[in-house]
């Protein structure tokens, strides 16, 4: 059974890609509610937060202020409360639209305002959005006056219509490249072999210098891979510990402790699909290998797999116009959180995970599997204590076929244009495959968050 975060379409709405998914440059797990330069934090009704930064030349700080309620970014006044940011600003005045010294406040979608000089502000997000983001930038002081900088307080208040950020840019999606098209050339438990390059957006995340995968991911543009935050949270892996492979099909096995050279289905088996194939190199498959410049995990990720998103920024851009380049997966249309539906759809998952729940090695040959969408009512019967508003479910109730450990981070996709081969769209997130013992409930299928 698969559980996928469901707010991806709104998160990936233009600038929200950077502000709502590439949220935080440091951890939110802090004990104090006073924050220094560059931190991200959450605010609740009973837990406001403050941050400040004294003025000094050549300073750049970012704060991500997240309203900690269990609702999507476009919550439209959920429970009648919203985030409000109040600041005292004392900076050099700038006649050129606060270009050199400023405090920028944005909601990541449409609202954006800059402040400089000596002023006080009290703002809320445009369109009753959930979160706010602050960027403090200075380039230099051209006079001898001493400036204090900024002092801000963020708190949850009753919803109101006044004091909203001005809409200074338009949130929209621009389709500037082909996405979601498959190349038709020439386990996933109970799955089948995938054709070479059948899923040209599929990424293998491997230990550096190897072809041994530990998670999957999906190419979403020319620079970023969408995957699952838990792939790195529990292992402590850093950006420098991994690489990303695109155009990969046959990989090396990632072998687990207790492995045995026995038939698949017997405890410890490493005989998954492709186990006896000859070794394959990057050159053999024309695999593209990338270092990871930056690992950006969702700041609200929890060990219970809520907000299980991460982005990997590749060390270089991909020329998507090249004939041999990978193809990004399509993203759901922007601003369709309330209308986007997967009811009665068949979804597809692909990866190099374990081919059997008793296996002790990843499969070498890429596997694929079609799984049905599962309603929240049915899924809640298995995972009532674990299912959140950012998740959906898919899989077979009887658990005969499913994704398995090692498929984590890979995309769950569906074909939304069933014409001439169709076009494949992200069904909303990266898989998080859990061992059954990680959950109190034990459905027959392997849970995935």
């Amino acid at each position: 059974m698969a559980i996928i975060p469901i707010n991806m379409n709104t998160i990936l709405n233009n600038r929200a890609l950077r502000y709502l998914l590439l949220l935080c440059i440091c951890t939110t797990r802090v004990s104090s509610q006073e924050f220094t330069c560059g931190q991200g934090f959450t605010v609740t009704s009973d837990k406001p937060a403050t941050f400040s930064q004294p003025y000094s030349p050549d300073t750049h700080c970012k704060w991500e202020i997240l309203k900690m309620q269990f609702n999507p970014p476009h919550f439209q006044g959920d429970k009648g409360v919203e985030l409000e940011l109040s600041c005292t600003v004392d900076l050099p005045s700038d006649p050129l639209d606060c270009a050199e010294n400023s405090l920028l406040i944005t909601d990541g979608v449409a609202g954006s305002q800059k402040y400089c000089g000596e002023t006080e502000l009290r703002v809320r997000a445009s369109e009753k959005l959930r979160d706010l983001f602050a960027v403090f930038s200075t380039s230099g002081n051209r006079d001898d006056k001493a400036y204090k900088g900024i002092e801000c307080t963020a708190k949850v208040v009753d919803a109101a219509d006044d004091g909203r950020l001005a809409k200074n840019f338009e949130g929209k999606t621009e389709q500037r490249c082909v996405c979601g098209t498959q190349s038709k050339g020439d386990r996933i438990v109970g799955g089948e072999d995938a054709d070479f390059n059948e899923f040209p957006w599929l990424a293998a995340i491997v230990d550096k210098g190897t072809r041994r995968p530990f998670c999957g991911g999906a190419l979403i543009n020319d620079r970023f891979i969408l995957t699952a935050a838990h792939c790195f949270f529990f292992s402590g892996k850093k950006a420098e510990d991994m690489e990303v492979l695109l155009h990969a099909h046959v990989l090396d096995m990632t072998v687990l402790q207790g492995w045995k050279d026995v038939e698949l289905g017997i405890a410890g088996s490493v005989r998954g699909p492709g186990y006896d194939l000859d070794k394959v190199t990057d050159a053999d498959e024309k695999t593209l290998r990338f270092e990871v410049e930056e690992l950006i995990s969702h700041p609200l990720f929890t060990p219970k797999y809520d907000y299980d998103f991460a982005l990997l920024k590749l060390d270089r851009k991909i020329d998507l116009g090249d004939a041999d380049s990978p193809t990004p997966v399509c993203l759901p249309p922007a601003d369709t959180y309330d209308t986007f539906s997967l009811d009665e759809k068949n979804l597809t998952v692909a990866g190099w995970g374990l081919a059997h729940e008793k296996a002790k090695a990843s499969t070498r040959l890429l596997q694929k599997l079609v799984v049905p969408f599962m309603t929240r009512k049915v899924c809640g019967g298995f995972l009532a204590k674990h299912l959140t508003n950012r998740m959906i479910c898919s899989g077979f109730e009887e658990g005969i076929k499913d994704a398995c450990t090692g498929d984590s981070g890979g995309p769950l996709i569906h074909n939304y244009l069933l014409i001439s081969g169709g076009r494949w769209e992200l069904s909303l997130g990266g898989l998080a495959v859990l061992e059954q013992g990680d959950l109190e409930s034990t459905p027959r299928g392997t849970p995935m968050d």
Side-chain angles (χ1 to χ4, degrees), residues 69-363:
Q69 298 285 355
F70 291 101
N71 44 269
H74 290 71
F75 72 96
Q76 297 299 323
D78 179 58
K79 297 184 179 180
V81 295
E82 58 187 325
L83 190 62
E84 180 181 81
L85 181 64
S86 302
C87 297
T88 299
V89 178
D90 185 20
L91 298 172
S93 297
D94 189 342
L96 299 176
D97 196 26
C98 301
E100 294 187 353
N101 302 278
S102 69
L103 174 65
L104 170 66
I105 308 296
T106 178
D107 56 33
V109 176
S112 176
Q113 286 181 239
K114 276 186 177 182
Y115 302 88
C116 59
E118 187 175 349
T119 186
E120 293 188 356
L121 63 99
R122 180 173 295 171
V123 296
R124 305 167 189 230
S126 68
E127 302 178 2
K128 297 183 180 179
L129 299 173
R130 187 187 66 189
D131 307 320
L132 289 170
F133 310 89
V135 180
F136 177 64
S137 298
T138 66
S139 59
N141 183 3
R142 297 184 179 182
D143 56 45
D144 296 328
K145 181 180 177 180
Y147 296 95
K148 296 179 180 179
I150 62 167
E151 295 183 359
C152 297
T153 299
K155 60 183 179 180
V156 175
V157 298
D158 292 337
D161 293 329
D162 60 336
R164 301 207 174 278
L165 288 173
K167 295 182 181 180
N168 289 321
F169 60 87
E170 179 183 1
K172 61 183 179 180
T173 298
E174 296 181 7
Q175 189 63 51
R176 294 181 292 179
C177 62
V178 174
C179 69
T181 58
Q182 291 178 305
S183 299
K184 296 294 183 180
D186 56 11
R187 197 155 276 221
I188 304 273
V189 175
E192 60 181 286
D193 297 347
D195 292 336
F196 180 76
N197 210 25
E198 183 174 354
F199 305 104
W201 47 82
L202 187 63
I205 306 174
V206 300
D207 292 319
K208 191 169 185 177
T210 75
R211 287 176 62 90
R212 297 192 302 268
F214 63 87
C215 270
L219 181 70
I220 58 173
N221 59 24
D222 63 359
R223 194 70 183 271
F224 285 93
I225 301 295
L226 173 64
T227 184
H230 80 271
C231 288
F232 321 105
F233 179 85
F234 297 106
S235 66
K237 288 183 182 292
K238 307 297 183 183
E240 58 269 23
D241 301 327
M242 68 190 83
E243 290 177 315
V244 171
L245 305 184
L246 293 166
H247 280 176
H249 189 63
V250 178
L251 297 177
D252 295 338
M253 285 190 291
T254 299
V255 180
L256 306 178
Q257 187 174 5
W259 69 272
K260 300 176 183 178
D261 187 15
V262 294
E263 293 295 327
L264 189 64
I266 300 176
S269 175
V270 296
R271 296 187 185 181
Y275 81 98
D276 55 351
L277 293 175
D278 292 338
K279 187 176 180 64
V280 174
T281 66
D282 290 357
D284 293 334
E285 295 186 337
K286 296 184 178 179
T287 298
L288 301 177
R289 182 179 291 267
F290 299 85
E291 293 185 355
V292 177
E293 181 177 309
E294 187 177 9
L295 162 61
I296 310 161
S297 294
H298 198 297
L300 298 184
F301 170 77
T302 74
K304 293 186 177 181
Y305 299 84
D306 202 3
Y307 295 97
D308 195 7
F309 293 113
L311 287 183
L312 303 182
K313 183 179 182 181
L314 305 179
D315 64 337
R316 62 190 185 276
K317 286 188 175 183
I318 300 170
D319 182 3
L320 298 178
D322 187 85
D324 295 325
S325 75
T327 303
V329 69
C330 296
L331 300 176
D335 297 322
T336 59
Y337 177 82
D338 295 325
T339 59
F340 188 80
S341 175
L342 294 172
D343 289 349
E344 300 182 357
K345 284 187 171 62
N346 285 322
L347 313 177
T348 300
V349 61
W352 294 271
L354 306 186
H356 190 278
E357 60 184 13
K358 295 181 179 180
K360 288 295 184 179
S362 61
T363 63

Side-chain angles (χ1 to χ4, degrees), residues 368-382:
K368 64 180 180 180
L369 178 68
V370 176
V371 290
F373 173 76
M374 184 181 293
T375 66
R376 293 183 67 83
K377 181 178 180 180
V378 173
C379 186
F382 296 115

Side-chain angles (χ1 to χ4, degrees), residues 372 374 382 395-402 443-446:
M374 184 181 293
F382 296 115
F396 297 93
E397 293 183 55
E398 61 272 20
I400 297 173
K401 301 178 181 181
D402 225 322
R444 290 174 63 86
T446 304

